[in-house]
Amino acid sequence: MTTTIVWIAAALLLVAVYLSWTAGRLDRLHARIDAARAALDAQLLRRASVAQELATAGVLDPAASIVLYQAAHDARQAEEEQREVAESELSQALRAVFAESAQLEAVRAAPGGEATAEELAAAVRRVPMARRFHNDAVRAARALRRHRKVRWFRLAGHAPFPLAFEMDDEPPAVLADRAGPAGEGH
């Protein structure tokens, strides 16, 4: 009888340790999602800010300036429910404005334009990376949350189900292919 109680207590202790470890892992995944989302938000804001600054600098043709300014403004002001659409529209506006390298050359020819072009190129290249890190963290958390043990024991607590950030983040070809600042190689 005593041996049975000891074995049951040991089994319950092992199950409790395992569930605690799983809950801790899920908590770390949620923290990773939060950090990745903050990094994604920062990169999206940086891209919109550079685009808006460029649109008001007077180096682009007036139509391109208006399109780029409006898309960047909408992306910065979008409510959370409309954010993916607004950011996709900014990506489309950037591709439309920089469809030909003439606009980029106009930016580079302006005073301080080379630095602005590099900053914009860096911003549009970093958004897809930040989004990929965020969505990878979401995918890992969702996979763990689908397990029966997580659902049955409510190990996720009241944390909302993580959602991926889906948007068109393809950069303009003339900006995506640019080499980094001097000293950085491929």
Side-chain angles (χ1 to χ4, degrees):
M1 177 80 168
T2 306
T3 307
T4 305
I5 292 174
V6 168
W7 281 110
I8 290 173
L12 287 175
L13 180 65
L14 284 174
V15 168
V17 166
Y18 177 70
L19 290 175
S20 175
W21 176 81
T22 303
R25 181 172 166 226
L26 189 57
D27 187 52
R28 287 188 302 277
L29 283 171
H30 281 272
R32 191 172 129 204
I33 289 170
D34 290 343
R37 180 57 189 246
L40 174 61
D41 287 341
Q43 292 304 324
L44 292 170
L45 180 62
R46 181 173 182 241
R47 180 182 75 153
S49 297
V50 172
Q52 202 168 23
E53 182 181 315
L54 186 59
T56 59
V59 295
L60 300 173
D61 68 66
S65 292
I66 291 170
V67 167
L68 193 56
Y69 179 85
Q70 190 61 50
H73 177 74
D74 292 347
R76 289 182 70 173
Q77 300 299 318
E79 296 293 325
E80 193 58 37
E81 300 81 35
Q82 299 300 315
R83 184 100 186 266
E84 292 171 346
V85 173
E87 294 295 347
S88 293
E89 288 173 355
L90 177 55
S91 294
Q92 293 163 5
L94 283 164
R95 281 196 308 271
V97 168
F98 293 104
E100 298 176 13
S101 60
Q103 290 283 26
L104 185 59
E105 294 308 317
V107 170
R108 293 175 73 199
E114 188 63 40
T116 302
E118 289 299 330
E119 188 176 0
L120 181 62
V124 299
R125 283 192 309 257
R126 288 182 180 145
V127 166
M129 279 192 313
R131 189 174 74 88
R132 194 169 333 146
F133 287 137
H134 175 266
N135 288 350
D136 286 348
V138 166
R139 200 172 301 114
R142 290 172 98 171
L144 185 58
R145 286 182 69 153
R146 277 196 216 85
H147 289 210
R148 274 185 240 132
K149 66 181 175 272
V150 172
R151 291 192 318 263
W152 288 350
F153 292 100
R154 300 178 190 258
L155 298 181
H158 297 288
F161 196 73
L163 299 174
F165 195 87
E166 298 300 333
M167 65 172 272
D168 173 2
D169 60 6
E170 184 180 337
V174 296
L175 293 175
D177 297 336
R178 289 180 54 82
E184 289 184 13
H186 288 298

